[in-house]
Amino acid sequence: MPIPEQPALSDQTDPIDPATNRFRARSDWFLRALMGLTAILPIGLLGVAGSLRPNSAGLGTHQQLGLPPCSMRVIFGIRCPACGMTTSWSYFTRGQWPASAEANIAGFLLALIAVAFSPIAIRAAITGRMPSRGTQRYATLALVSIAAIASVQWLVRLWVA
């Protein structure tokens, strides 16, 4: 009697069925919840940012939430890579995109990605079907690019300051 072929180890542990691009049953609830959170969290953060008044200095808007000033500014006297991110998102929600980009270009781009990717994540949460590999690659490339842009902007601000 022939020995049945065993599935590859990756087939057993991969939460996504490669044949259907759907979540496997044992991980379905977890991945659907994760995709739902991936959709709702950025939109919720944009909602919070929209309730804040952007600081005209281009940073410090987060202090309206009761948060302390940026530790890097307090300790070292320089802006951190995320300085102006909340201000950027607050301007973004008001449609003041040039001001959003001026406060923090990476924040502006991250807000764009949040708006663009949320419907994709909602669809994945509802249908149980992961976004295509191409969409996943583009999202990853966009996030890595935004991190690089934040780093470059930070270095330019350090140089100019």
Side-chain angles (χ1 to χ4, degrees):
M1 181 166 146
I3 299 174
E5 203 173 302
Q6 294 292 322
L9 183 59
S10 64
D11 290 345
Q12 294 173 1
T13 59
D14 189 1
I16 308 300
D17 182 356
T20 63
N21 201 31
R22 294 180 66 91
F23 304 137
R24 292 187 192 275
R26 67 176 180 261
S27 62
D28 184 63
W29 67 270
F30 175 75
L31 289 173
R32 283 180 186 245
L34 184 62
M35 292 310 300
L37 184 63
T38 300
I40 293 169
L41 184 64
I43 298 302
L45 291 174
L46 281 167
V48 170
S51 71
L52 303 175
R53 188 175 28 85
N55 190 322
S56 60
L59 63 145
T61 302
H62 70 280
Q63 291 179 276
Q64 294 172 39
L65 297 169
L67 298 170
C70 174
S71 298
M72 190 172 263
R73 284 186 55 87
V74 171
I75 295 169
F76 300 110
I78 59 175
R79 292 176 72 149
C80 75
C83 274
M85 187 81 64
T86 306
T87 305
S88 177
W89 279 42
S90 186
Y91 279 127
F92 183 89
T93 60
R94 289 168 169 69
Q96 298 173 341
W97 292 359
S100 173
E102 186 178 334
N104 189 311
I105 188 69
F108 171 73
L109 296 172
L110 195 58
L112 280 176
I113 292 296
V115 170
F117 191 71
S118 287
I120 295 167
I122 289 169
R123 180 179 170 264
I126 292 169
T127 65
R129 186 176 297 269
M130 284 295 290
S132 71
R133 296 281 188 207
T135 300
Q136 293 176 42
R137 274 190 232 111
Y138 285 128
T140 302
L141 179 62
L143 292 174
V144 169
S145 298
I146 290 170
I149 289 167
S151 299
V152 168
Q153 181 183 28
W154 181 57
L155 292 173
V156 167
R157 284 181 172 172
L158 287 177
W159 184 271
V160 172

